[in-house]
Amino acid sequence: MSKVTFASHPYLLGFEDLDRLVERTGKSGKDGYPPYNVEQRSASAYRITLAVAGFAEEDLAITVEANQLVIRGRQSEDDEGRVFLHRGIAARQFQRSFVLADGVDVSGAELENGLLHVDLERVEPETVVQTIKINGKRS
């Protein structure tokens, strides 16, 4: 039995990549670390906020790779000479990815009180109307 997806609809041509993207996003981020919020700040602006307590600015990296916003965190191990009787604060690395639509760009980022804010803005593209010439059959 073949898998039926929305991209197999006859009116949706060339959406196979979107289908794979939806499937991949459903599988990513299952562990829920770090927790995050996504808020819409206006009709064309968004903010992603990640709880990154204990991470310094130099421990974080934000990149955009092929319409995918990737936020990585890696804390340096500074345990030399320290003896923990209990260690409940994990210094673990993370990678959190968000898929950006065409025209959505990162407009800035700031780290404040253990929260990393990444601001996004949608730039509306110009509407382009194309007229296609019909060529007659040549004999």
Side-chain angles (χ1 to χ4, degrees), residues 22-135:
V22 168
E23 188 174 318
R24 188 178 74 219
T25 0
K27 294 177 183 176
S28 69
K30 297 259 185 209
D31 70 352
Y33 180 79
Y36 65 94
N37 292 337
V38 178
E39 65 180 291
Q40 186 166 6
R41 298 172 61 92
S42 72
S44 62
Y46 307 91
R47 174 174 269 188
I48 298 171
T49 301
L50 282 83
V52 292
F55 285 85
E57 203 172 306
E58 57 270 8
D59 297 334
L60 300 166
I62 303 169
T63 57
V64 177
E65 305 164 6
N67 282 15
Q68 190 166 13
L69 171 66
V70 180
I71 303 170
R72 294 179 179 91
R74 182 180 186 104
Q75 290 178 311
S76 56
E77 296 289 329
D78 189 19
D79 294 342
E80 195 170 317
R82 298 170 75 184
V83 177
F84 291 95
L85 300 178
H86 171 75
R87 187 161 189 176
I89 302 171
R92 66 193 259 202
Q93 63 185 15
F94 71 87
Q95 176 174 314
R96 179 67 76 177
S97 300
F98 301 89
V99 178
L100 305 179
D102 289 337
V104 175
D105 296 320
V106 176
S107 60
E110 70 176 314
L111 183 61
E112 172 185 42
N113 299 325
L115 298 174
L116 175 65
H117 303 290
V118 180
D119 292 318
L120 307 168
E121 192 162 340
R122 177 187 301 272
V123 180
E124 292 298 323
E126 291 182 24
T127 303
V128 177
V129 177
Q130 250 184 328
T131 302
I132 311 299
K133 183 178 177 185
I134 301 172
N135 293 324

